[in-house]
Each structure stands twice: as structure tokens, then as C-alpha cells.
Amino acid sequence: MSQNSRQFHLNAFLMGVGHHEAAWRHPRTEAHRVLDVAHFQELGRIAERGKLDSVFFADGLAVGPRVKHNALAVFEPVTLLSAIAVATEKVGLIATASTSYSDPYNLARKFTSLDHISGGRAGWNIVTSAGADEAANFGVDGIPAHRGRYERAEEFVDVTLALWDSWEDGAVVLDEESGVFADPDRVHTIDHAGERFRVKGPLNAPRSAQGRPLLVQAGSSESGKEFAATHAEAVFTAQRTLAEGQQFYRDLKTRVVAHGRSADDVKVLPGIVPFIADTKEEAEELERSFTDLISPEYSLRQLSLMLGVDLTEHSLDAPLPPLPPVDQIEGNKSRYQLVKDLAEEGRTVRELIGLLGGGRGHRTFAGTPEQIADELQTWFEQGAADGFNIMPPYLPGGLDDFVDRVVPILQERGLFRTEYTADTLRGHYGLGDPGNRFTEELAHDVSA
């Protein structure tokens, strides 16, 4: 097949020993490796072997209901990615960090440190924490209002970007003879005084090789899409059908252009949980072998948290009780709506938790390597995706199978790179230098 001018972006979304909630119980995994940093370094090397754009770790700030029935993702992701950085050379490193319970200065410094350690491969997945358990760990009663979370996130990102710009390119001089470490005229205070934050600056870490970390967003509510259209450079999303994916893609790209940006400035990456085997039947049997290990007690507590409705005593063989409309929900609106839509198709709770067990609402697909490649190509070519967030149901084997069996097919079809052509994460995503507000202001002043 001839080389396409437009190619996939592929990200490996990594979680413990697999995305399936029963992965730690399955014979294809070793549960103890959830605490082994060498396991995660191995995953980074596998992703790099496949020339993937990046690896990504989600994060949560509370134990929640999982401690009895699930192997937790226990490492803080920036710390973990620093360990992966020294075991890899090219693959991007994306960490989740919440704007709800973080401070802009500390977050900006932490991600800049990762960016320097990795040679310009860091990315920040921006989230607004929506869990009551998380709120309780930070002295907050109840879930913060959805609108307020995004208003805080807007100011938080503005401050963080200003701090990342506070050192211009070339500010570090390191002139041993004259004794000049940095040019003070290129290091700036930001003097931010807003509704929620007061930050003087500058950041005590200079600009990195890629200018600043890549900005990623994961959320499909109205507020989330507006936030993504304004700030994001990649969007992780959960869409279960081609039609839903196309609608989300068109909507988001339209919003991006309305904000004065190019539609190509934001890459839309739906999640997919691939079960891969030599035949369709074997892949489906593999998926069933995971579903059979689901703990209903665990799944009902997870579903209860997702919906804000106590289902722990609800019959597994009955449909969900009536659910309120999404505009009455303060938690994760987009995931709530996805589950509500699935429930309204007449499924029992048992059927629902089986569907959600692989990827908490992300699309699962069982098939041969060729069928997986066909599915991805269809979404890519029919306007539903710029690439994909690959969520292996078990690790490391599920990532190995995708890299060694699916990626070569995509490469043969001209849909994915055969070698890295850039050294930074922004380069992998086809993005240039993000610019610097202080350099631009100086240039404007000189021209005036």
C-alpha cells in the first residue's frame, strides 16, 4: 500500500497489569508486578519498540472501593515516568495531574523536571477531579461543582503556561569565564493575581527541549470540550460506535477552529481495549475468560461511584433503576452519560458490568490482528479519530501483541511510522515550538 500523507498517532494507556478490572487474577498476568518499577520500564521499552508516540498513566487521589478486589495503580505517575524516562530514549511520557487538588507552581516545576529528565518527552493530562473520596482527602465535603472545577482549571492552566514561559529560550548562559549563569533579562516574573491563585514567579526551572510539555485533556462534557478546544493538543476520549466517534470528532474540531486554532492542532484519540488472537472466536473466548473473573461486588461499587447511585444491593439480573438527567450530575458527566445510554438499551446490570469491565466505558474489540487494524483504519479514515489510545486488557502480553502483530500491519498500509522522526513528544505529534509570550511581547515592543 502506498504511504499515506496522514498517519495515526498511537498512545499506550498503561494501568497496573492490565486495563481489565480482573487482569490481576488472570493467568496471563503476574499480580505482584503492579508494585515492580521494572515492569513499567519494560512496558515503556515495548511501546518504544513499536514506535508509539507516547505512554500514558491515569491517576486517582483516593483508594475508593477497590482495595479488596483489585490491584491498585499505586505509583504517582510523574515519579513513575521519571523511572521510565531513564529506561527509554524516544517514547513520550504523559502523566495525569489534577487541577482540583494541586498548586500551579509545584505542578509546573514537576512536569518541567520530567521534561528535562526525558529530553523533552513530557505531557500533562489535565483533569478536574470529580470523586467524593478524593475531595475528602483534601478537606472538601462533597464533590466540587462541575462548573467551578472547570473555572479553576482555566486559571490553573493559564498560570502554569505563564510559569513555563517565564524562562525564555537562551536564558541559561553558563559563561564560566564571566560568571554569568543566566541572563536576568530573559527570566521573568508572571505577577499573576487571579480569583483563585496569586503567583509571582518565575519558575525555578528553565525551559525544556520542547519548549513546554504537551497538553492533553480527557473529558467529553460540554465544559470539557470547550476546555479542550481552548487548551488541549491531544484529547483522550471514550466513544463506543463509529457514529458517536464521528459526531464527537466533528464537534470538537469545529470548536477548535472557533477558538482561532487549526483543526490539526488537536489530535483526537479514542480509547480501545483490544483482545487479540489468531481467530475471531479465540479472541472472543479470551475476552470471556477475563469477564468470567469479574467480581460483582467490586463492579457494583465502581458502577455506584460512576453513577452516584448506591447499587450494592441491586439485583444483577435487573436493569438499572431510573437515572437522573446528566445536567443534575456534578461528577464525571461524559462517563455518566455513556453508562446511562448503555443502560437505556435494555441491558441488565450483569451485562452492563461485563461491558464496562474491560475499559470502564471505552470500546472493547476482540479479533485477529488484521481485524483490529481494519477497525482502527475505518475510524481513522472515516473522520472519527486522529489516532488511538491503546488500552491493553492485560500487561505486558496485551501490549506485546499489539506492537508485534498489529503495528506492522498499520506500517505496511502506510498508516503508521516505521521509525521515529523526532526526539520530543511535541515532535511525535507533529507540533512545532509552542512559542513564548515574553519573547513575543518583546518582539512586539521592538516592532512598535
Side-chain angles (χ1 to χ4, degrees):
M1 205 170 195
S2 61
Q3 185 80 2
N4 292 324
S5 58
R6 178 171 171 257
Q7 294 188 327
F8 283 4
H9 296 282
L10 292 175
N11 176 74
F13 182 179
L14 305 176
M15 183 173 287
V17 291
H19 268 277
H20 198 283
E21 65 183 55
W24 70 280
R25 300 181 62 195
H26 200 277
R28 292 200 180 200
T29 67
E30 298 176 89
H32 70 272
R33 299 202 73 187
V34 74
L35 294 169
D36 182 4
V37 69
H39 164 66
F40 296 100
Q41 291 175 318
E42 178 187 355
L43 297 178
R45 287 190 290 266
I46 294 170
E48 189 161 273
R49 187 175 78 231
K51 315 303 178 187
L52 272 58
D53 294 68
S54 47
V55 298
F56 159 59
F57 288 91
D59 195 25
L61 300 172
V63 170
R66 296 171 291 196
V67 70
K68 181 178 180 181
H69 292 293
N70 202 351
L72 298 173
V74 296
F75 294 122
E76 189 281 317
V78 173
T79 308
L80 180 58
L81 284 167
S82 296
I84 295 174
V86 300
T88 57
E89 296 179 353
K90 296 283 190 178
V91 70
L93 310 164
I94 301 174
T96 295
S98 171
T99 60
S100 298
Y101 307 117
S102 303
D103 174 88
Y105 195 96
N106 284 336
L107 184 143
R109 187 185 188 210
K110 183 165 61 174
F111 275 89
T112 293
S113 296
L114 176 61
D115 222 13
H116 280 286
I117 290 168
S118 64
R121 294 186 279 143
W124 173 26
N125 178 43
I126 306 163
V127 300
T128 63
S129 299
D133 287 344
E134 293 177 306
N137 285 338
F138 294 87
V140 178
D141 295 327
I143 302 173
H146 188 269
R147 180 177 177 180
R149 296 201 307 272
Y150 274 96
E151 289 175 349
R152 176 184 170 91
E154 288 282 354
E155 185 177 346
F156 193 112
V157 171
D158 287 344
V159 176
T160 304
L161 291 174
L163 287 168
W164 282 335
D165 280 351
S166 63
W167 290 66
E168 296 182 46
D169 292 325
V172 178
V173 177
L174 297 179
D175 188 327
E176 297 175 8
E177 184 174 342
S178 66
V180 175
F181 177 84
D183 180 352
D185 291 334
R186 294 186 177 186
V187 183
H188 306 274
T189 61
I190 68 169
D191 299 315
H192 177 88
E195 183 177 343
R196 292 169 175 81
F197 303 107
R198 292 176 60 86
V199 183
K200 181 180 180 181
L203 191 65
N204 60 342
R207 204 160 170 83
S208 70
Q210 65 174 347
R212 60 161 172 76
L214 184 82
L215 297 183
V216 183
Q217 187 266 355
S220 303
S221 67
E222 286 300 303
S223 297
K225 287 185 286 190
E226 276 300 298
F227 186 87
T230 305
H231 299 291
E233 292 160 317
V235 172
F236 297 156
T237 183
Q239 311 296 331
R240 294 190 65 87
T241 69
L242 177 62
E244 290 171 356
Q246 291 168 325
Q247 193 280 328
F248 177 85
Y249 189 92
R250 287 192 302 268
D251 184 12
L252 184 62
K253 297 285 186 169
T254 299
R255 293 172 191 250
V256 169
V257 173
H259 282 276
R261 306 171 67 194
S262 166
D264 291 335
D265 288 345
V266 182
K267 312 301 181 185
V268 177
L269 309 177
I272 183 169
V273 183
F275 290 88
I276 306 168
D278 291 335
T279 68
K280 178 75 169 176
E281 293 72 24
E282 289 173 341
E284 290 172 346
E285 178 56 34
L286 176 62
E287 182 176 7
R288 278 193 297 272
S289 73
F290 281 84
T291 302
D292 289 345
L293 294 175
I294 288 176
S295 164
E297 180 185 346
Y298 167 78
S299 297
L300 285 174
R301 288 180 62 83
Q302 285 289 87
L303 191 58
S304 297
L305 283 179
M306 199 177 294
L307 298 175
V309 176
D310 186 1
L311 300 169
T312 53
E313 301 298 325
H314 196 79
S315 170
L316 290 171
D317 296 310
L320 282 177
L323 298 174
V326 69
D327 59 8
Q328 296 181 19
I329 299 301
E330 293 296 352
N332 186 324
K333 289 181 180 288
S334 57
R335 196 57 51 87
Y336 174 91
Q337 187 64 55
L338 185 151
V339 176
K340 187 174 187 290
D341 290 344
L342 288 174
E344 289 174 350
E345 294 174 8
R347 292 180 174 89
T348 65
V349 171
R350 190 185 303 276
E351 291 169 333
L352 193 58
I353 62 177
L355 273 177
L356 297 173
R360 298 162 307 284
H362 288 274
R363 187 169 54 114
T364 60
F365 189 88
T368 66
E370 291 78 9
Q371 289 169 331
I372 300 289
D374 289 345
E375 186 75 0
L376 300 184
Q377 183 171 356
T378 295
W379 277 54
F380 180 66
E381 293 182 342
Q382 294 191 20
D386 294 307
F388 301 90
N389 214 13
I390 306 303
M391 304 165 61
Y394 59 98
L395 292 166
L399 183 60
D400 263 323
D401 282 348
F402 184 84
V403 162
D404 293 339
R405 304 188 68 186
V406 179
V407 166
I409 297 171
L410 300 176
Q411 291 171 331
E412 289 170 6
R413 296 179 183 181
L415 292 166
F416 192 63
R417 67 171 70 88
T418 56
E419 295 293 339
Y420 286 111
T421 57
D423 296 320
T424 68
L425 178 56
R426 298 182 63 80
H428 297 339
Y429 278 90
L431 300 170
D433 188 295
N436 184 303
R437 70 190 65 195
F438 294 104
T439 305
E440 291 164 4
E441 287 173 4
L442 178 62
H444 179 267
D445 291 342
V446 170
S447 64

